[in-house]
């Protein structure tokens, strides 16, 4: 895999990128952190154990790019994407609160238009994001010189890829015969 | 033989179901049911003591194990099998289950290597742990856990053997704690046929049969102590997923308290309890057998998800530079199921899909670095987050990075010798290399940095170091706390360095020794 030339970052931004997502959100003047921690405990009227609708949309948009070449086309694709979002949600719901908190910050960062533009180079909303824009985000984070963004990439990668390859529907495509049948 | 765990349902309290606070009382409470706690429980219960087992994991039996990663990782592992060190650079595979990591480990059994024991004797005053002292305990545990030499190697292990043979590298076949093993290859998701002789089917039912009580989904919060004695253990009930507390509290009173939560949770419990720490070593010197991986593409089918996962190994590089020279590494295979493969390989898009498409032909190798033997390998440190939960800070030193680079090269060399068409070191700047010469040159230039190299650990050790001197250790050589009279630690957190081999058998054997001595002490 080729590496991508690092972009220029201001020292202040670099400092924040070395601390935490929360630090980045503060830098961007975001009030999401507070609002979100309240919402975390409220039972939301959505089908997920933990994801909010906006988070689910992000997973749904990122997954086909991150897994391009691995998902079925046509009618099955929509179902499979639903299952990936569901698997992602289930895994996060088993995390301890501290880890869930970090994933929450990651989604806040991706949902906030300022941090999204600043750190992911994405200037459009998730509703309007093109696959090319999402590819750009993945490339940028995958090889970022900031550990925080690399770890954000790794978290998204593992949750999305884990949700798909834990699903038996992915197995015929990779030649994995599945667990043996016990007699 | 013990009856199976289901027959003792009446002695099990599933704390996720409790609606009211509870107080229980016994002679000994043991926190954790893995290799240390499980073994200790049976020995103490057989000695006639009323044992109470406290486990954060869920109550599970073989009927719950379906060989599905999507089920097993959330339900049987710490942090959905993706527990990370503080800087996220190392993924720690650690059980969080009834039976601890023994429920999900790959069953390979080793003794503590001779050079490790010598180093412990010379450096840490642990000369009592010599072959003569340890062999009866190994024997006892080998019998209890039906340890046997394994000769039915899967294609992945045969490739390791072939490559090592061709290069004239040391290689041997291993022992496993299994009985009537059907070589399914799903040790990591919980054995569905009860072949693996984990604590879940051996010592835990053994202890229950002798009157022990088991609390599952029960999280040990803190020990309440006064005047050098622990009075009580305070616990919280967890919900069915084990992710949140339900608000129900459980108080456990006992004469003696055994901490057996492993190299991260044991020191964390003692830290939360603010027990005296004059040596300032509590939660320090935590070791991981830092592990690098390499994927070979073979022409033939390897089916790396089937068969006994680990049965051949190479110690060629384990002690090559002396015990305290450049870091040595043990080479083994690893099972590769789809989620493990998909998350270990950090590319995306077509590159990732192409890799996953190869899975039936992938031969995975791992190299475990023995950390803790050199001054540039001081290990990690357990921190408590604001909510009291533990996270391990493990800075990777240049010394370890040199070892990781050497390990990537050795793995590629072995895989090409075994007939690989291509080899991919698990590193985000690496690519598929077509021959050994090309791989060697590229590996020499790979940046050895956190979150570039993919690093793992399945062995957490240290953090409550044992030793004869209270100023240089947390507990004595029997695992008894130096300052708190009725508190012991019995698990892998006692080790002053890593072991240099998969640590389950060393933990079983030391636990058997320590629990037997503890039983005598409590009864007298």
């Amino acid at each position: 895999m080729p590496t991508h030339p690092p972009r220029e970052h201001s020292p202040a931004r670099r400092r924040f990128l070395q601390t935490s997502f929360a630090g980045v959100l503060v830098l961007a003047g975001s009030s999401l952190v507070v609002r979100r921690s309240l919402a975390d405990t409220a039972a939301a009227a959505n089908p997920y154990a933990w994801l909010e609708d906006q988070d689910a949309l992000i997973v749904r948009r990122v997954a086909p790019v991150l897994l391009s070449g691995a998902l079925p086309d046509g009618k099955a694709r929509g179902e499979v994407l639903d299952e990936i979002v569901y698997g992602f949600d289930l895994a996060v719901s088993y995390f301890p609160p501290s880890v869930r908190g970090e994933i929450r910050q990651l989604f806040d960062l991706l949902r906030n238009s300022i941090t999204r533009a600043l750190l992911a180079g994405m200037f459009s909303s998730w509703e309007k994001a093109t696959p090319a824009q999402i590819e750009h985000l993945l490339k940028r984070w995958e090889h970022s010189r900031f550990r925080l963004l690399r770890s954000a990439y790794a978290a998204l990668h593992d949750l999305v890829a884990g949700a798909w390859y834990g699903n038996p529907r992915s197995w015929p495509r990779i030649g994995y015969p599945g667990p043996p049948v016990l007699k | 033989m013990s009856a199976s765990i289901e027959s003792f349902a009446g002695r099990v309290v599933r704390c996720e179901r409790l609606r009211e606070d509870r107080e229980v009382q016994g002679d000994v409470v043991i926190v954790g049911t893995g290799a240390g706690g499980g073994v200790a429980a049976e020995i103490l219960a057989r000695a006639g003591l009323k044992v109470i087992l406290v486990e954060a994991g869920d109550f599970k039996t073989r009927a719950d194990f379906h060989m599905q990663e999507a089920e097993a990782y959330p339900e049987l592992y710490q942090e959905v099998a993706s527990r990370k060190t503080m800087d996220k650079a190392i993924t720690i595979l650690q059980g969080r289950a009834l039976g601890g990591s023994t429920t999900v480990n790959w069953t390979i059994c080793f003794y503590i290597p001779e050079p490790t024991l010598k180093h412990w004797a010379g450096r840490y005053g642990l000369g009592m742990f010599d072959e003569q002292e340890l062999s009866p305990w190994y024997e006892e545990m080998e019998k209890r856990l039906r340890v046997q030499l394994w000769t039915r190697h899967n294609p992945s292990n045969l490739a390791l053997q072939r490559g090592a043979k061709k290069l004239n590298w040391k290689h041997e076949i291993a022992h496993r704690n299994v009985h009537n093993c059907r070589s399914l290859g799903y040790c990591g998701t919980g054995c569905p046929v009860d072949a693996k002789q984990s604590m879940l089917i051996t010592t835990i039912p053994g202890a229950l049969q002798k009157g022990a009580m088991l609390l599952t989904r029960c999280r040990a919060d803190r020990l309440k102590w006064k005047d050098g004695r622990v009075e009580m253990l305070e616990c919280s009930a967890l919900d069915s997923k084990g992710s949140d507390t339900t608000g129900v509290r459980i108080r456990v009173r006992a004469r003696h308290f055994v901490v057996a939560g492993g190299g991260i949770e044991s020191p964390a419990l003692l830290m939360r309890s603010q027990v005296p720490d004059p040596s300032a070593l509590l939660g320090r010197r935590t070791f991981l057998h830092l592990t690098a991986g390499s994927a070979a593409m073979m022409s033939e089918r390897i089916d790396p998800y089937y068969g006994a996962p680990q049965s051949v190994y190479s110690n060629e590089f384990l002690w090559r530079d002396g015990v305290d020279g450049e870091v040595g590494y043990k080479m083994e295979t690893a099972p590769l199921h789809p989620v493990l493969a998909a998350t270990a390989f950090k590319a995306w898009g077509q590159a990732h899909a192409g890799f996953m498409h190869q899975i039936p032909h992938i031969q995975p190798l791992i190299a475990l670095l023995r950390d803790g033997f050199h001054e540039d390998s001081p290990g990690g440190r357990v921190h408590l987050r604001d909510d009291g939960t533990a996270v391990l800070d493990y800075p990777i030193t240049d010394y370890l990075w040199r070892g990781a680079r050497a390990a990537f090269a050795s793995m590629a060399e072995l895989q090409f010798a075994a007939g690989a068409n291509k080899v991919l070191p698990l590193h985000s700047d690496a690519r598929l290399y077509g021959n050994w010469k090309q791989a060697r040159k590229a590996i020499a230039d790979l940046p050895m940095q956190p979150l570039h190299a993919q690093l793992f650990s399945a062995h957490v050790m240290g953090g409550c170091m044992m030793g004869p001197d209270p100023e240089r250790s947390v507990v004595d050589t029997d695992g008894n706390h130096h300052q708190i009279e009725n508190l012991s630690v019995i698990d892998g957190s006692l080790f002053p360095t890593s072991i240099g081999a998969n640590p389950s058998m060393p933990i079983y054997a030391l636990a058997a020794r320590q629990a037997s001595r503890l039983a005598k002490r409590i009864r007298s």
Side-chain angles (χ1 to χ4, degrees), chain B residues 424-460:
Chain B
L424 178 71
L426 292 179
H427 186 295
S428 60
D429 302 321
R431 56 187 74 225
L432 276 165
Y433 305 118
N435 57 60
W436 163 230
K437 204 178 144 194
Q438 187 194 19
R440 181 172 55 185
K441 192 165 175 293
I443 290 167
D445 291 332
L446 285 176
M448 286 294 144
Q449 284 169 26
L451 294 151
H452 287 246
Q454 306 306 324
L455 295 171
F456 307 88
S457 165
H459 307 151
V460 187

Tab-separated table of all heavy atoms in Angstrom, chain B residues 424-460:
chain	number	residue	atom	x	y	z
B	424	LEU	N	3.008	-11.498	3.450
B	424	LEU	CA	2.584	-10.157	3.870
B	424	LEU	C	2.811	-9.984	5.372
B	424	LEU	O	2.076	-10.555	6.175
B	424	LEU	CB	1.097	-9.954	3.560
B	424	LEU	CG	0.522	-8.592	3.998
B	424	LEU	CD1	1.052	-7.478	3.115
B	424	LEU	CD2	-0.994	-8.610	3.964
B	425	PRO	N	3.815	-9.207	5.767
B	425	PRO	CA	3.938	-8.890	7.200
B	425	PRO	C	2.737	-8.039	7.620
B	425	PRO	O	2.294	-7.184	6.840
B	425	PRO	CB	5.232	-8.066	7.274
B	425	PRO	CG	5.947	-8.315	5.981
B	425	PRO	CD	4.871	-8.584	4.962
B	426	LEU	N	2.208	-8.261	8.820
B	426	LEU	CA	1.048	-7.480	9.255
B	426	LEU	C	1.520	-6.105	9.736
B	426	LEU	O	1.814	-5.881	10.911
B	426	LEU	CB	0.269	-8.217	10.342
B	426	LEU	CG	-0.429	-9.493	9.848
B	426	LEU	CD1	-1.153	-10.181	10.990
B	426	LEU	CD2	-1.397	-9.199	8.704
B	427	HIS	N	1.606	-5.222	8.785
B	427	HIS	CA	2.154	-3.887	8.979
B	427	HIS	C	1.521	-3.025	7.897
B	427	HIS	O	1.491	-3.425	6.728
B	427	HIS	CB	3.680	-3.946	8.826
B	427	HIS	CG	4.368	-2.658	9.139
B	427	HIS	ND1	4.183	-1.517	8.387
B	427	HIS	CD2	5.258	-2.324	10.109
B	427	HIS	CE1	4.918	-0.536	8.899
B	427	HIS	NE2	5.572	-1.002	9.945
B	428	SER	N	1.022	-1.844	8.264
B	428	SER	CA	0.221	-1.095	7.286
B	428	SER	C	1.056	-0.498	6.155
B	428	SER	O	0.508	-0.061	5.153
B	428	SER	CB	-0.602	-0.017	7.995
B	428	SER	OG	0.253	0.867	8.669
B	429	ASP	N	2.370	-0.467	6.279
B	429	ASP	CA	3.201	0.020	5.182
B	429	ASP	C	3.812	-1.118	4.367
B	429	ASP	O	4.569	-0.870	3.437
B	429	ASP	CB	4.321	0.921	5.721
B	429	ASP	CG	3.765	2.103	6.513
B	429	ASP	OD1	2.732	2.653	6.089
B	429	ASP	OD2	4.333	2.437	7.565
B	430	ALA	N	3.509	-2.349	4.746
B	430	ALA	CA	4.076	-3.494	4.020
B	430	ALA	C	3.200	-3.826	2.829
B	430	ALA	O	2.039	-3.418	2.755
B	430	ALA	CB	4.172	-4.700	4.951
B	431	ARG	N	3.744	-4.539	1.870
B	431	ARG	CA	2.929	-5.063	0.778
B	431	ARG	C	3.239	-6.543	0.639
B	431	ARG	O	4.027	-7.092	1.402
B	431	ARG	CB	3.191	-4.291	-0.506
B	431	ARG	CG	4.657	-4.268	-0.920
B	431	ARG	CD	4.881	-3.347	-2.094
B	431	ARG	NE	4.824	-1.945	-1.707
B	431	ARG	CZ	4.171	-0.993	-2.388
B	431	ARG	NH1	3.492	-1.303	-3.463
B	431	ARG	NH2	4.212	0.251	-1.992
B	432	LEU	N	2.593	-7.169	-0.325
B	432	LEU	CA	2.856	-8.587	-0.559
B	432	LEU	C	4.220	-8.721	-1.226
B	432	LEU	O	4.455	-8.109	-2.271
B	432	LEU	CB	1.787	-9.149	-1.493
B	432	LEU	CG	0.476	-9.595	-0.869
B	432	LEU	CD1	-0.575	-9.761	-1.956
B	432	LEU	CD2	0.663	-10.906	-0.111
B	433	TYR	N	5.099	-9.502	-0.623
B	433	TYR	CA	6.417	-9.691	-1.196
B	433	TYR	C	6.484	-11.056	-1.879
B	433	TYR	O	5.937	-12.036	-1.378
B	433	TYR	CB	7.497	-9.572	-0.116
B	433	TYR	CG	7.393	-8.247	0.625
B	433	TYR	CD1	7.123	-8.209	1.989
B	433	TYR	CD2	7.517	-7.027	-0.064
B	433	TYR	CE1	6.997	-6.993	2.657
B	433	TYR	CE2	7.386	-5.813	0.601
B	433	TYR	CZ	7.121	-5.801	1.964
B	433	TYR	OH	6.986	-4.612	2.621
B	434	GLY	N	7.183	-11.093	-3.024
B	434	GLY	CA	7.191	-12.301	-3.862
B	434	GLY	C	8.325	-13.258	-3.570
B	434	GLY	O	8.297	-14.408	-4.011
B	435	ASN	N	9.352	-12.798	-2.869
B	435	ASN	CA	10.434	-13.725	-2.508
B	435	ASN	C	11.152	-13.198	-1.271
B	435	ASN	O	10.959	-12.056	-0.849
B	435	ASN	CB	11.413	-13.906	-3.677
B	435	ASN	CG	12.008	-12.577	-4.133
B	435	ASN	OD1	12.667	-11.876	-3.346
B	435	ASN	ND2	11.763	-12.206	-5.379
B	436	TRP	N	12.001	-14.039	-0.718
B	436	TRP	CA	12.637	-13.727	0.551
B	436	TRP	C	13.565	-12.523	0.443
B	436	TRP	O	13.608	-11.658	1.309
B	436	TRP	CB	13.357	-14.973	1.076
B	436	TRP	CG	14.387	-14.727	2.151
B	436	TRP	CD1	15.663	-15.189	2.168
B	436	TRP	CD2	14.230	-13.972	3.362
B	436	TRP	NE1	16.307	-14.762	3.301
B	436	TRP	CE2	15.454	-14.018	4.055
B	436	TRP	CE3	13.174	-13.261	3.922
B	436	TRP	CZ2	15.664	-13.384	5.280
B	436	TRP	CZ3	13.374	-12.613	5.148
B	436	TRP	CH2	14.599	-12.684	5.803
B	437	LYS	N	14.271	-12.437	-0.668
B	437	LYS	CA	15.215	-11.331	-0.835
B	437	LYS	C	14.481	-9.984	-0.824
B	437	LYS	O	14.877	-9.040	-0.132
B	437	LYS	CB	15.944	-11.519	-2.179
B	437	LYS	CG	17.294	-10.841	-2.224
B	437	LYS	CD	17.979	-11.106	-3.569
B	437	LYS	CE	18.751	-9.860	-3.984
B	437	LYS	NZ	19.168	-9.895	-5.380
B	438	GLN	N	13.393	-9.954	-1.565
B	438	GLN	CA	12.583	-8.726	-1.640
B	438	GLN	C	11.984	-8.398	-0.262
B	438	GLN	O	12.009	-7.248	0.185
B	438	GLN	CB	11.463	-8.958	-2.668
B	438	GLN	CG	10.653	-7.732	-2.984
B	438	GLN	CD	9.361	-8.089	-3.729
B	438	GLN	OE1	8.903	-9.223	-3.717
B	438	GLN	NE2	8.783	-7.083	-4.368
B	439	ALA	N	11.492	-9.424	0.419
B	439	ALA	CA	10.877	-9.221	1.738
B	439	ALA	C	11.920	-8.712	2.727
B	439	ALA	O	11.668	-7.768	3.490
B	439	ALA	CB	10.264	-10.530	2.237
B	440	ARG	N	13.101	-9.316	2.704
B	440	ARG	CA	14.143	-8.930	3.661
B	440	ARG	C	14.502	-7.461	3.508
B	440	ARG	O	14.607	-6.718	4.481
B	440	ARG	CB	15.385	-9.807	3.449
B	440	ARG	CG	16.512	-9.472	4.431
B	440	ARG	CD	17.650	-10.446	4.353
B	440	ARG	NE	18.147	-10.533	2.982
B	440	ARG	CZ	19.092	-11.396	2.598
B	440	ARG	NH1	19.626	-12.225	3.447
B	440	ARG	NH2	19.476	-11.422	1.337
B	441	LYS	N	14.657	-7.043	2.261
B	441	LYS	CA	15.031	-5.660	1.980
B	441	LYS	C	13.920	-4.703	2.437
B	441	LYS	O	14.191	-3.682	3.078
B	441	LYS	CB	15.263	-5.514	0.469
B	441	LYS	CG	15.932	-4.220	0.070
B	441	LYS	CD	16.459	-4.329	-1.359
B	441	LYS	CE	17.022	-3.002	-1.829
B	441	LYS	NZ	15.975	-1.953	-1.971
B	442	ALA	N	12.679	-5.054	2.117
B	442	ALA	CA	11.554	-4.171	2.474
B	442	ALA	C	11.356	-4.102	3.995
B	442	ALA	O	11.112	-3.027	4.553
B	442	ALA	CB	10.287	-4.667	1.790
B	443	ILE	N	11.469	-5.237	4.655
B	443	ILE	CA	11.242	-5.277	6.107
B	443	ILE	C	12.298	-4.426	6.823
B	443	ILE	O	12.006	-3.760	7.820
B	443	ILE	CB	11.212	-6.741	6.621
B	443	ILE	CG1	9.938	-7.433	6.126
B	443	ILE	CG2	11.292	-6.800	8.149
B	443	ILE	CD1	9.915	-8.938	6.298
B	444	ALA	N	13.506	-4.419	6.287
B	444	ALA	CA	14.573	-3.614	6.898
B	444	ALA	C	14.215	-2.125	6.910
B	444	ALA	O	14.705	-1.369	7.758
B	444	ALA	CB	15.880	-3.833	6.151
B	445	ASP	N	13.351	-1.706	5.975
B	445	ASP	CA	12.997	-0.284	5.867
B	445	ASP	C	11.618	0.056	6.423
B	445	ASP	O	11.205	1.214	6.385
B	445	ASP	CB	13.054	0.152	4.396
B	445	ASP	CG	14.483	0.165	3.872
B	445	ASP	OD1	15.399	0.363	4.697
B	445	ASP	OD2	14.676	-0.036	2.663
B	446	LEU	N	10.860	-0.924	6.883
B	446	LEU	CA	9.512	-0.617	7.382
B	446	LEU	C	9.612	0.265	8.626
B	446	LEU	O	10.420	-0.010	9.511
B	446	LEU	CB	8.761	-1.907	7.754
B	446	LEU	CG	8.230	-2.765	6.617
B	446	LEU	CD1	7.599	-4.036	7.201
B	446	LEU	CD2	7.207	-2.023	5.775
B	447	PRO	N	8.804	1.321	8.703
B	447	PRO	CA	8.839	2.136	9.925
B	447	PRO	C	8.269	1.344	11.098
B	447	PRO	O	7.138	0.874	11.033
B	447	PRO	CB	7.954	3.339	9.589
B	447	PRO	CG	7.096	2.892	8.460
B	447	PRO	CD	7.834	1.815	7.724
B	448	MET	N	9.054	1.182	12.141
B	448	MET	CA	8.590	0.438	13.311
B	448	MET	C	7.982	1.441	14.279
B	448	MET	O	8.665	2.022	15.130
B	448	MET	CB	9.749	-0.333	13.941
B	448	MET	CG	10.159	-1.539	13.130
B	448	MET	SD	8.849	-2.813	13.081
B	448	MET	CE	9.061	-3.430	11.427
B	449	GLN	N	6.690	1.698	14.092
B	449	GLN	CA	5.990	2.696	14.892
B	449	GLN	C	4.615	2.188	15.297
B	449	GLN	O	4.036	1.361	14.593
B	449	GLN	CB	5.814	3.977	14.065
B	449	GLN	CG	7.083	4.787	13.931
B	449	GLN	CD	6.918	5.885	12.893
B	449	GLN	OE1	5.817	6.349	12.640
B	449	GLN	NE2	8.024	6.272	12.292
B	450	PRO	N	4.102	2.738	16.422
B	450	PRO	CA	2.752	2.330	16.852
B	450	PRO	C	1.736	2.573	15.747
B	450	PRO	O	1.811	3.587	15.040
B	450	PRO	CB	2.462	3.275	18.035
B	450	PRO	CG	3.785	3.763	18.494
B	450	PRO	CD	4.684	3.742	17.305
B	451	LEU	N	0.822	1.647	15.590
B	451	LEU	CA	-0.259	1.727	14.608
B	451	LEU	C	0.236	1.697	13.163
B	451	LEU	O	-0.519	1.945	12.237
B	451	LEU	CB	-1.160	2.953	14.859
B	451	LEU	CG	-1.924	2.835	16.177
B	451	LEU	CD1	-2.223	4.195	16.789
B	451	LEU	CD2	-3.218	2.054	15.976
B	452	HIS	N	1.503	1.391	12.963
B	452	HIS	CA	1.995	0.999	11.642
B	452	HIS	C	2.109	-0.525	11.672
B	452	HIS	O	1.394	-1.206	10.952
B	452	HIS	CB	3.348	1.642	11.329
B	452	HIS	CG	3.247	3.106	11.024
B	452	HIS	ND1	3.540	3.629	9.790
B	452	HIS	CD2	2.889	4.151	11.786
B	452	HIS	CE1	3.351	4.948	9.810
B	452	HIS	NE2	2.969	5.284	11.025
B	453	ALA	N	2.994	-1.024	12.553
B	453	ALA	CA	3.042	-2.471	12.768
B	453	ALA	C	1.795	-2.865	13.553
B	453	ALA	O	1.435	-2.197	14.514
B	453	ALA	CB	4.294	-2.832	13.552
B	454	GLN	N	1.113	-3.942	13.129
B	454	GLN	CA	-0.028	-4.445	13.910
B	454	GLN	C	0.538	-5.352	14.988
B	454	GLN	O	1.182	-6.344	14.674
B	454	GLN	CB	-0.991	-5.258	13.039
B	454	GLN	CG	-1.488	-4.547	11.789
B	454	GLN	CD	-2.118	-3.206	12.102
B	454	GLN	OE1	-2.773	-3.064	13.119
B	454	GLN	NE2	-1.914	-2.250	11.230
B	455	LEU	N	0.306	-5.018	16.224
B	455	LEU	CA	0.866	-5.820	17.306
B	455	LEU	C	-0.244	-6.358	18.205
B	455	LEU	O	-1.278	-5.703	18.380
B	455	LEU	CB	1.859	-4.999	18.126
B	455	LEU	CG	3.108	-4.563	17.349
B	455	LEU	CD1	3.920	-3.570	18.153
B	455	LEU	CD2	3.965	-5.755	16.953
B	456	PHE	N	0.003	-7.546	18.728
B	456	PHE	CA	-1.009	-8.239	19.511
B	456	PHE	C	-0.397	-8.768	20.799
B	456	PHE	O	0.812	-8.806	20.960
B	456	PHE	CB	-1.570	-9.435	18.723
B	456	PHE	CG	-2.052	-9.083	17.361
B	456	PHE	CD1	-1.187	-9.093	16.278
B	456	PHE	CD2	-3.366	-8.702	17.161
B	456	PHE	CE1	-1.627	-8.739	15.003
B	456	PHE	CE2	-3.818	-8.360	15.897
B	456	PHE	CZ	-2.942	-8.375	14.819
B	457	SER	N	-1.285	-9.222	21.673
B	457	SER	CA	-0.856	-9.984	22.837
B	457	SER	C	-1.998	-10.900	23.226
B	457	SER	O	-3.160	-10.507	23.175
B	457	SER	CB	-0.544	-9.061	24.010
B	457	SER	OG	-0.463	-9.826	25.206
B	458	ALA	N	-1.648	-12.133	23.590
B	458	ALA	CA	-2.671	-13.013	24.157
B	458	ALA	C	-2.246	-13.457	25.551
B	458	ALA	O	-2.868	-14.330	26.141
B	458	ALA	CB	-2.904	-14.219	23.251
B	459	HIS	N	-1.169	-12.871	26.064
B	459	HIS	CA	-0.601	-13.292	27.350
B	459	HIS	C	-0.295	-12.074	28.201
B	459	HIS	O	0.691	-11.397	27.963
B	459	HIS	CB	0.707	-14.068	27.127
B	459	HIS	CG	0.571	-15.220	26.168
B	459	HIS	ND1	1.609	-15.671	25.399
B	459	HIS	CD2	-0.489	-16.007	25.857
B	459	HIS	CE1	1.202	-16.694	24.664
B	459	HIS	NE2	-0.075	-16.913	24.912
B	460	VAL	N	-1.126	-11.812	29.180
B	460	VAL	CA	-0.837	-10.697	30.075
B	460	VAL	C	-0.213	-11.244	31.355
B	460	VAL	O	-0.793	-12.123	31.996
B	460	VAL	CB	-2.109	-9.886	30.408
B	460	VAL	CG1	-1.723	-8.637	31.190
B	460	VAL	CG2	-2.848	-9.503	29.134
